Each structure stands twice: as structure tokens, then as C-alpha cells.
Amino acid sequence: MTSQAPTHHHILPFRTYMLVTAGLLILTAITVGISYMDFGVFNLLVAMAVAVGKAALVALFFMHLKYDNKIYLMVFMVALLTLGVLIFLTLADTMTRGDIDIEETGPINPRAAMYLKDTTSAATPDSLVEGRADTAAVDTTSISPGEE
Amino acid sequence: MSTESTDKHLDFLEHHFSTPQQQAESAKLGMWVFLLTEILLFGGLFLAYAVYRSWHPEMFYNAHLFLDRELGTFNTVVLIISSLTMALAIRSMQLGKRKQTIWMLVATLALAAVFLVVKYFEYSHKIHLGQLPGKFYTFDGIEGNNPHVFFSVYFLMTGLHGIHVIGGMFAIGWVLRRTIRNDFSSAYYTPIEMTGLYWHLVDLVWIFLFPLFYLIG
């Protein structure tokens, strides 16, 4: 019988499960209640904070992560971290695409080489090279290749 | 006599493991790695949600008003209680109370069925109105750009979640059958525990789906 002793996991008291469930139901009531009010961006933040709190209760107590070998918690955190990187990097792209839309926002740096032709459409290539000093709108010093 | 009873007690121990504890912990590590892939599977859809919502915030708000907040709240409570009964089923088996485990598993199955019935009514209402994904969208009355995108994401995410609920019911039914067959004891209940982990993950996903769709659109 002694060989079986290690297989016995930490058995949580009945009370703990009831308290966790009560916590989950209370948090649900809070998040539903707040959804009937309008706090602007705050609504999203509260809803997500409550969801994270509920998820933590489920993971730590129902899934025993708090009491088990910490390697399971690590696997769980690796999943969340990977997901975080995936979401952050993708949104960093999709939410900032308009920022470099030249039709909507114009050039980021009007003096960048790629815009040179547009901003000096009146000037011919010759005048750019020869008349550098009198081209008031565009300073070509830093962008002429081989002219460092 | 004593060796015989020990052997009988440990007949669940596979030959490639040296102790029951090692076997149980290996199973659990494998289960957690599987749950990791599940999190990333749903994670891709959560990402799609985030991208489309950031592109069409007003449309998401207008479309989410067509989801039934009361039914969503009801289903959230149902899943929370089912998570409790699942956890208690495992606890009962840890204490060797087989009968209690059976009733807790039956309760979990029943609550999962309630969840699916509510979902069925929600889905049929939307299908009736033509609030469907992509080219099947025929509803007229949601302001904003591309309202069909909201319902594409809604049906994909709640649909995949619903498939997981059905899968969970099969798993629970399987361990219920094995519990009735007297396969488990306080020394060996790994399949119930793994089913429990899976069921809690299904609850975990819904914990995020519910506010994102029903509460803040």
C-alpha cells in the first residue's frame, strides 16, 4: 500500500470548490452588470480584467495549477506568452497600416529620398545636382548617394 | 496474499512506467501540452476577432446588440456549474466515493446538454434572420461596414467551442461508463482527471467568448 501513497494528489476541501464557484458567479454578475452601463473604453478593460480573473480562478483551483507540479503551470504560461506575442505583433501591423498611407496621412518624412521626385516635380534632375544651394524646399545633402 | 493484492491494485500501471505517480504525471504533462495546442487553436480565432474589431469597431458594437445577453449569461452560469460538478467528480473519486462520482459526471453531462440546447435556439434564431457568415448573410438592419464579418467570427468561434462541448460530452460519457464499470479507484482516476482538464479549458474559452461577443461586441 505504501507504493500508492505518492499517487494521492492534494485533495482540495469541498469548501474551496464552493468558494471558487461563488467567486466565478459573482464576477459574472459584475461583468454583466457593468455591460448595461456606458463607460466607453473602460467597459472593455473591466470586461477583460474580470475575464482574466475568472480564468485564473478556473486554472489555479479547478485545474489544480496552484497545487500541482509547477511544470504544468509553465506549459500553460508558454501557451499564453506565445499567444500574446502572436496577438501583439499582428495588431502592431493591422492597427497601424493607415499610419503610412500616403493618400491619407502624407509622407512620414517629406524629405525622404522616396518622395524626392514628388516634392520637387518642378525641378529637373540637373538642377537638383547643380543647384543644391538654391533648392529651398528640399535639402538633398543627406540623400545624394556618394556625397557624404 | 499481500503481493497479490498489491498487483491487483496496480494493474493500471503500464510496464513502461516505474511508479503510478510517474505514470500519472506523464499523462498530465501530455494533456497540458495538448491544452497548449488548444489554446493556440482558439488563439488564432481570438486574434481574428481582435483584428476585425479594431477595423470595424462601430459595426461590432451594432452587431453585438443582436446577441441575446440573457441567454449568454445563462449559458455562462451553466458552464461554471458544470465545471464545479466536473471538479467534484474528480474529488469524489479521490476520496473513493464512486457513486458520487457517477452522479457528478451525469450532472456535468446534463449541464453540457443544456448549454447546447440554448446554443441551438440562439443559432436557429440567427439562421432564421439571415445573420450568417460571409456570402450567406442576408440580414438588413445592422449599420456599419461588413456586418457579415461579425457573424463569420461569431459562428466560427462559438461553433468551434460548441464542437469542443460535444467532444467533451463524449469524453465525459466515456469516463462515466468506465466509472460504472468500476475501472477507477482513489489510487487510479487519471482518465477522469484528464477529461476534467479538457472540460475546464472549454469553460475557460467561454469565459472569454462571452464578454467579447455578448457584452462589449
Side-chain angles (χ1 to χ4, degrees):
Chain A
M1 290 302 277
T2 46
S3 63
Q4 285 163 36
T7 67
H8 284 254
H9 294 129
H10 189 93
I11 302 177
L12 295 186
F14 183 72
R15 204 179 121 81
T16 305
Y17 285 118
M18 297 317 280
L19 284 176
V20 169
T21 305
L24 288 170
L25 293 177
I26 290 169
L27 285 173
T28 303
I30 289 175
T31 193
V32 172
I34 282 182
S35 77
Y36 283 98
M37 303 169 222
D38 186 16
F39 296 117
V41 185
F42 196 62
N43 276 64
L44 176 64
L45 292 178
V46 171
M48 284 298 94
V50 169
V52 168
K54 287 167 72 180
L57 281 179
V58 171
L60 290 176
F61 293 97
F62 283 170
M63 298 171 104
H64 290 187
L65 280 181
K66 186 171 189 284
Y67 308 95
D68 272 346
N69 190 324
K70 288 294 176 279
I71 192 161
Y72 310 128
L73 181 64
M74 209 180 79
V75 174
F76 186 56
M77 295 316 282
V78 165
L80 296 186
L81 189 72
T82 310
L83 182 57
V85 170
L86 175 73
I87 290 178
F88 174 76
L89 288 181
T90 309
L91 288 183
D93 166 11
T94 61
M95 290 183 78
T96 56
R97 284 183 187 176
D99 296 359
I100 53 167
D101 187 329
I102 192 161
E103 299 288 327
E104 283 179 22
T105 59
I108 295 170
N109 176 5
R111 305 201 301 185
M114 60 184 286
Y115 303 124
L116 187 62
K117 209 177 144 205
D118 287 343
T119 51
T120 60
S121 53
T124 62
D126 282 351
S127 72
L128 273 178
V129 177
E130 292 164 12
R132 189 183 306 148
D134 60 41
T135 313
V138 181
D139 179 6
T140 56
T141 313
S142 57
I143 48 122
S144 301
E147 289 267 303
E148 295 293 305
Chain B
M1 169 64 195
S2 75
T3 30
E4 197 180 89
S5 75
T6 307
D7 284 343
K8 175 141 179 51
H9 254 295
L10 290 179
D11 61 3
F12 59 83
L13 182 62
E14 302 290 344
H15 65 87
H16 48 280
F17 292 109
S18 48
T19 64
Q21 188 192 10
Q22 187 201 18
Q23 176 171 297
E25 294 203 334
S26 304
K28 202 179 248 192
L29 182 60
M31 191 65 200
W32 270 106
V33 172
F34 169 64
L35 295 189
L36 176 147
T37 69
E38 291 278 82
I39 289 170
L40 294 180
L41 170 66
F42 279 100
L45 288 169
F46 277 108
L47 174 61
Y49 172 95
V51 169
Y52 285 123
R53 190 195 153 113
S54 71
W55 279 345
H56 312 292
E58 288 86 15
M59 179 277 285
F60 260 64
Y61 179 81
N62 293 331
H64 105 285
L65 297 175
F66 286 85
L67 300 186
D68 193 318
R69 199 171 347 193
E70 276 85 33
L71 287 183
T73 308
F74 177 77
N75 257 354
T76 304
V77 173
V78 166
L79 272 197
I80 288 172
I81 306 292
S82 81
S83 257
L84 171 69
T85 55
M86 188 71 229
L88 289 180
I90 297 164
R91 182 176 181 275
S92 300
M93 192 47 90
Q94 286 174 324
L95 296 170
K97 297 177 181 167
R98 186 171 142 268
K99 268 234 170 75
Q100 230 178 60
T101 300
I102 290 172
W103 282 115
M104 284 299 156
L105 289 174
V106 169
T108 313
L109 263 185
L111 289 165
V114 169
F115 179 90
L116 286 179
V117 168
V118 172
K119 210 79 217 140
Y120 165 79
F121 282 116
E122 287 191 78
Y123 274 5
S124 46
H125 183 60
K126 275 174 195 62
I127 292 167
H128 177 71
L129 290 178
Q131 295 168 334
L132 287 167
K135 67 174 181 179
F136 302 106
Y137 183 85
T138 54
F139 186 67
D140 186 21
I142 296 176
E143 288 186 30
N145 294 327
N146 306 323
H148 60 277
V149 169
F150 178 87
F151 291 97
S152 298
V153 179
Y154 168 80
F155 275 101
L156 274 175
M157 295 187 81
T158 59
L160 185 67
H161 179 264
I163 290 171
H164 277 75
V165 171
I166 294 170
M169 289 178 76
F170 276 108
I172 294 166
W174 171 63
V175 292
L176 175 61
R177 185 168 160 268
R178 290 193 61 184
T179 309
I180 292 170
R181 212 169 58 188
N182 215 354
D183 280 3
F184 304 125
S185 67
S186 62
Y188 175 68
Y189 50 86
T190 304
I192 310 180
E193 206 181 4
M194 300 305 110
T195 303
L197 284 177
Y198 178 83
W199 191 250
H200 295 314
L201 187 92
V202 172
D203 187 22
L204 218 55
V205 170
W206 184 258
I207 281 174
F208 285 95
L209 287 183
F210 169 60
L212 286 176
F213 281 110
Y214 290 81
L215 299 185
I216 51 178

